[in-house]
Amino acid sequence: MKKDEQDNRSIQNGPVRLKGVGDSLCVTLDPALPVDDLQKELSFLFKRCATLAVNAKVVLDTGEKEGYEELIEVLGAFLKSTFGVGSVSAMLKKKRSPDPDEKRSPDPDEDIRKRDVEGSWHHYRSEVLMLMGRVRSGQKVTAENHLLILGDVNPGAEVWAGGDILIMGSLRGTAVAGQPENENAIVLALDFQPTQIQIGGIVGAGLPPSSKKQVEFAHVENDTIVVEAYLEANTFGRMPWLQVR
Amino acid sequence: MDGRIIVITSGKGGVGKTTATASIGAALALEGRRVAVVDMDIGLRNLDVVMGLENRIVFNVVDAVKGKCKLKQASIKDRRIENLYLIPASQSDNKNVLSPEEMVSFGEILRKEFDFVLMDCPAGIERGFENSVASADEAVVICAPEVSSVRDADRVIGLLYAKSITPKLVINRIIPEMVERGDMLNHIDVVDVLSIELIGLVPMDDQVIIATNTGNPLVLQKKSKAGEAFRRIALRLNGMTDLPIEVPQAEGHFWRKIGTKLGLGK
Ligand SMILES: Nc1ncnc2c1ncn2[C@@H]1O[C@H](COP(=O)(O)OP(=O)(O)O)[C@@H](O)[C@H]1O
Ligand SMILES: [Mg+2]
C-alpha cells in the first residue's frame, strides 16, 4: 500500500478525523481514548496541513456526552503551542428541541453542525430502547430515553419513556412520554388509538378515536396535547437540517 | 407416556372456566382418553356440582396433595362417562394451604395416572392462579366477548408467557345476533388484541344452564351448540389440529366454517 493511501484512510476512519468546514477546522475525536494517543493522532493530522493550521479556528467535537471540558482544554493548549492554531473551542452539544425556528442561533459552531451532515454523527448516539412484540394488559415498559416498539400496545398496558415513544403497530394502551418534564417529546403510532396520552406533565385523556387508518402523533402545543396526521403535518421533514434527537 | 396437564383459566370469573373444564374433560374421556378434572377453586368448589358428583366427595385435592389420602381415593369416577375422574376442591380450606411447589410434585403423580389433566383455575391472578398453573404444560384461556374479559384474558396471557406456557384461546358466551348487530365484540377483534391461537368459539346456549342444574354432561346433550363447540375443542386438543373452527351463526343461518389459521394472525 502506498504511503499516501494509508494516510488518507487514517483521516477518514481513524479515531480522530479532520475536516475543513467554512473557515474552521472541525476535528471529530473519540474522547474515550488516552490523551497521549489523541495528541499523537492530532499531530499526525495537523502536520499534513501545517500551513492551514496556523491561526486557524479549530472546533473539537467529542460527541454528545458532556464532561470533556478538561480534555478539550488540554488538547487546545497542545494544538496552540505545537501548531500555532488561533482558537480552540468545543462543538455545541445537542439540544432537545423539535422546533427548527428556535435553532436559528448566530453561533458559528452551530452553522458547522448544520452543514456538516454526513460526517459528524460518528460519536453521536441517540439512546433508543427498541423492542418487538406485544405489550399486554397489566404490563408496563419503561425506557430511560426513547422507546421504539415493533408491535402493538394493548388496552390496559402502559409504555413510559424519558423521550419519544414510537409504536410501529397499534397503540391502544396508555403512553407516557417525555418524563419527567420534556414537553417536546412526541408519541407516534401507525395505528393511533391510545387510552390515554401524557407528555411531560400534560395529560390528554378522552382523545377522540380517529376513524381513519393513518399514522398519527401527539405533541404538546400551548400546554395541550394535539394529535395530528404525521405525514400531513410532516413536522420533522420540514426541518432544514438534521439534528440528533 | 406422561399425560398433559392443561390449566383452564381466564382472569375474570363467570366466563365459563368451570363449564369448559367439565365439558372438554367429558369430551376427551368420550374419545377414550383417561381424564382427570381438578377443581382448584379451593374454598369455592363447584365443579362437583356442575358434574353432579357432589354427594360422592370424601377426600379432596388438598388431602391428595398433602398425602392424607391416595390419589385414587380423591379421584371420583363420573357416573356416566368411562375414564373421567373428578378431583374436587376442599370447601373449608383457603387457597394458601397449597403452594406451587407442592402442586409441581402433585402434577408428576397426576401425569403418571392420566392422559389429560384439566385444572379448573379460580378467578384472579393470586395464589389460586399460581397453584393451578404451577404444574401445567399448557393453558387454555377462556374469554367472553366483552371488553373487561378481554382485558383480564390479556393480563393472564402475559403471566402465562412469563411462565413459558403458550396459551390457546376459547371465546365463550358468544351471542351471534348481538355480534351481527354490532352490539357485541366480534371474535376477530378479540383475536386481534389477544393474538394467540384460537381453538374454539362457543355460543351462548340455554342447554348449559340445563346441564349444570341436572348435573348431566353438556357434551352428551345432542342439540347443544355449546356442547358441540366444546367437543370440537376437545378434538383439537386431542390432536385434530386441522379441524375447522365454526363461527356461531344466528338462528336460521348455516354455521360458517373458517380456516384454522385464524388465531395466528389477522
Ligand atoms: N356458553 C354458555 N352459554 C350459556 N351459559 C353459560 C355458557 N358458559 C357459561 N355459562 C354460564 O355462566 C356462568 C358462569 O360459568 P362458569 O363456568 O361457572 O364460569 P367460571 O368458572 O369462569 O366462573 C354459569 O352460570 C354457566 O352456566
Ligand atoms: Mg369456576
Side-chain angles (χ1 to χ4, degrees):
Chain A
M1 194 186 283
K2 279 194 294 193
K3 173 97 174 47
D4 248 20
E5 273 171 39
Q6 214 175 342
D7 293 352
N8 262 331
R9 282 192 34 194
S10 171
I11 291 170
Q12 296 304 321
N13 305 325
V16 175
R17 292 175 306 145
L18 176 78
K19 196 166 209 161
V21 181
D23 56 352
S24 319
L25 291 172
C26 181
V27 180
T28 313
L29 53 84
D30 182 352
L33 290 176
V35 181
D36 283 356
D37 291 6
L38 288 173
Q39 288 189 348
K40 222 177 284 165
E41 292 287 337
L42 283 172
S43 301
F44 175 75
L45 292 176
F46 274 82
K47 259 183 215 142
R48 299 183 78 247
C49 54
T51 46
L52 270 180
V54 177
N55 277 328
K57 186 165 165 295
V58 175
V59 179
L60 294 182
D61 185 352
T62 53
E64 69 178 354
K65 287 216 186 74
E66 313 268 339
Y68 292 109
E69 296 78 15
E70 211 172 304
L71 178 71
I72 284 164
E73 213 165 283
V74 171
L75 295 178
F78 168 74
L79 287 177
K80 278 182 196 160
S81 64
T82 316
F83 298 102
V85 304
S87 74
V88 178
S89 60
M91 178 71 84
L92 273 200
K93 303 299 176 196
K94 72 163 172 177
K95 283 193 201 115
R96 276 193 189 155
S97 165
D99 181 2
D101 297 330
E102 255 179 41
K103 292 290 258 189
R104 288 199 192 282
S105 60
D107 193 314
D109 295 344
E110 275 297 314
D111 277 341
I112 297 167
R113 163 60 38 74
K114 287 169 199 168
R115 274 171 276 146
D116 184 13
V117 167
E118 82 281 2
S120 63
W121 306 108
H122 191 74
H123 295 299
Y124 284 76
R125 216 146 275 158
S126 256
E127 218 181 285
V128 181
L129 173 62
M130 180 159 160
L131 304 170
M132 57 183 175
R134 177 176 294 270
V135 191
R136 295 187 180 274
S137 178
Q139 295 176 338
K140 181 177 177 180
V141 172
T142 60
E144 204 130 297
N145 195 20
H146 305 308
L147 176 62
L148 172 62
I149 294 181
L150 297 172
D152 297 340
V153 179
N154 276 2
E158 182 177 338
V159 285
W160 189 105
D164 300 327
I165 294 175
L166 310 178
I167 308 298
M168 301 295 134
S170 289
L171 170 59
R172 295 187 243 211
T174 294
V176 182
Q179 295 307 301
E181 50 192 14
N182 174 14
E183 281 165 13
N184 291 319
I186 64 160
V187 176
L188 176 148
L190 300 190
D191 177 23
F192 191 89
Q193 312 177 42
T195 314
Q196 196 183 96
I197 292 284
Q198 190 179 337
I199 296 176
I202 297 170
V203 179
L207 302 164
S210 81
S211 47
K212 287 171 271 172
K213 271 262 180 189
Q214 59 182 0
V215 184
E216 291 180 307
F217 78 117
H219 59 105
V220 173
E221 231 174 82
N222 304 325
D223 289 342
T224 33
I225 289 186
V226 180
V227 180
E228 279 186 277
Y230 177 74
L231 288 173
E232 244 164 72
N234 203 13
T235 311
F236 302 98
R238 289 188 216 282
M239 294 176 72
W241 51 81
L242 282 175
Q243 294 174 40
V244 174
R245 187 160 173 93
Chain B
M1 210 183 75
D2 275 4
R4 293 155 63 185
I5 301 183
I6 304 177
V7 59
I8 314 286
T9 181
S10 69
K12 198 175 163 64
V15 297
K17 291 182 294 294
T18 299
T19 306
T21 306
S23 303
I24 297 170
L28 284 169
L30 288 171
E31 290 297 304
R33 313 305 299 267
R34 278 178 68 79
V35 180
V37 291
V38 186
D39 191 346
M40 289 301 293
D41 208 341
I42 315 288
L44 279 171
R45 74 176 186 216
N46 58 14
L47 186 55
D48 54 319
V49 179
V50 171
M51 295 173 72
L53 295 172
E54 56 182 320
N55 54 6
R56 306 197 180 187
I57 297 176
V58 180
F59 294 106
N60 58 51
V61 65
V62 175
D63 298 325
V65 171
K66 300 282 183 195
K68 289 190 191 138
C69 72
K70 296 235 169 64
L71 175 60
K72 273 213 172 64
Q73 294 173 288
S75 310
I76 303 167
K77 201 174 162 342
D78 190 70
R79 287 181 293 143
R80 299 159 182 252
I81 301 176
E82 270 306 292
N83 294 328
L84 178 62
Y85 294 84
L86 165 71
I87 302 175
S90 71
Q91 189 66 294
S92 49
D93 297 302
N94 85 31
K95 291 174 172 81
N96 295 333
V97 300
L98 295 181
S99 71
E101 294 75 25
E102 287 173 312
M103 286 308 294
V104 171
S105 336
F106 186 53
E108 294 307 316
I109 301 169
L110 288 169
R111 272 195 199 89
K112 296 270 183 294
E113 283 303 312
F114 299 98
D115 299 321
F116 280 95
V117 177
L118 304 185
M119 299 272 179
D120 183 11
C121 182
I125 53 172
E126 290 84 30
R127 186 65 166 271
F129 171 80
E130 293 288 331
N131 287 339
S132 309
V133 165
S135 62
D137 311 296
E138 299 164 48
V140 172
V141 172
I142 313 285
C143 179
E146 298 161 17
V147 171
S148 65
S149 177
V150 173
R151 196 72 70 90
D152 288 5
D154 195 32
R155 178 93 177 96
V156 161
I157 290 166
L159 296 173
L160 289 167
Y161 274 127
K163 295 177 186 299
S164 306
I165 298 174
T166 304
K168 296 181 169 130
L169 178 65
V170 168
I171 306 177
N172 183 30
R173 304 180 64 109
I174 297 170
I175 304 174
E177 292 80 4
M178 286 185 71
V179 176
E180 259 176 34
R181 287 199 305 268
D183 292 333
M184 181 176 265
L185 282 179
N186 190 308
H187 70 272
I188 294 165
D189 298 332
V190 177
V191 172
D192 190 28
V193 167
L194 297 182
S195 183
I196 59 174
E197 187 191 350
L198 181 68
I199 58 164
L201 300 171
V202 184
M204 200 70 154
D205 183 354
D206 290 345
Q207 297 282 336
V208 173
I209 293 136
I210 295 170
T212 303
N213 288 340
T214 59
N216 287 322
L218 181 66
V219 289
L220 289 182
Q221 229 97 339
K222 278 277 160 334
K223 287 181 309 198
S224 168
K225 287 183 175 180
E228 170 65 11
F230 281 123
R231 204 177 60 80
R232 295 175 71 88
I233 290 165
L235 291 176
R236 303 189 101 240
L237 287 172
N238 195 29
M240 279 181 73
T241 44
D242 51 1
L243 186 70
I245 290 168
E246 291 185 329
V247 180
Q249 299 290 304
E251 280 318 318
H253 293 237
F254 290 104
W255 284 38
R256 184 159 49 94
K257 290 190 164 66
I258 56 162
T260 53
K261 289 280 186 303
L262 191 87
L264 300 174
K266 275 202 183 182

